[in-house]
Amino acid sequence: MELLGWLGKGSASQTNPIWPSVPYEFVFDYIAESLEPISTLAGPSVVPSKTFDQVHGTQYDIILVPGGTYSHRKADMVHQLISCALNTAAGRVAGEVSPTIVNFVKNQNPGLKYLLSVCTGAWIVANAGVLEGKNATTNKAAFMRIKVGLTTTNINWIPKARWVVDGNTWTSSGVSAGTDMAHAFMEFLVGDNFTKVARNIVEWRAAEQGDDPFAHEWGLA
């Protein structure tokens, strides 16, 4: 989600003249059940900035829900991180998704401008009931486990897509597809002039929405 950081308050995009002016200034929170560092699936730990208790009663504009991995011994989901953008949130659980996280997404949803998920974060969003009647996608390696593991069948899971947009809900496929979705979301919000600068600085070659060879690799298309 580094691309969205260029819209953050105090970022270089606000002081460097190569950046076009945009009407957004994101403020990020990383929210967890405690302020203990969160061990990610790979890479350094993430230090939360607030707890769910501290943001009780706060309505965010955008939340972004990343994913985690499966615990193969228990055949369930281990979600190590949940983050939210414009103001963002993060939390960690093992074995199953904490009701605190699911309820946070569920309670935030009616007042959100946008809800985004990356990778298996769609599993949290689905458990919160906010994908009912919508098109969505998720990590291809976990696609069938998520699809058949939910009690609801009223979600139209799209197997071949880097990301899917349905109303104000954006869901991406696995990990790197989240950056493609973030690129498309930024372009949707502020246009290509700003997004092109961000893309060129980080040297990101953005994929198209349907450019998804991984669906074939995992026998989904």
Side-chain angles (χ1 to χ4, degrees), residues 28-112:
F28 295 93
D29 287 335
Y30 294 89
I31 307 170
E33 292 180 275
S34 77
L35 295 178
E36 294 294 318
I38 297 168
S39 298
T40 58
L41 179 60
S45 297
V46 174
V47 179
S49 59
K50 295 180 181 178
T51 67
F52 287 111
D53 286 341
Q54 288 174 325
V55 300
H56 179 73
T58 300
Q59 175 62 59
Y60 290 96
D61 296 306
I62 301 171
I63 66 173
L64 188 153
V65 185
T69 185
Y70 274 104
S71 167
H72 293 287
R73 289 182 300 173
K74 296 183 179 180
D76 53 21
M77 194 70 71
V78 180
H79 277 280
Q80 297 173 309
L81 180 66
I82 172 174
S83 69
C84 312
L86 232 194
N87 294 286
T88 69
R92 176 183 59 185
V93 291
E96 61 183 14
V97 177
S98 163
T100 301
I101 298 175
V102 173
N103 288 334
F104 174 79
V105 174
K106 184 184 299 184
N107 293 334
Q108 285 287 314
N109 185 60
L112 291 174

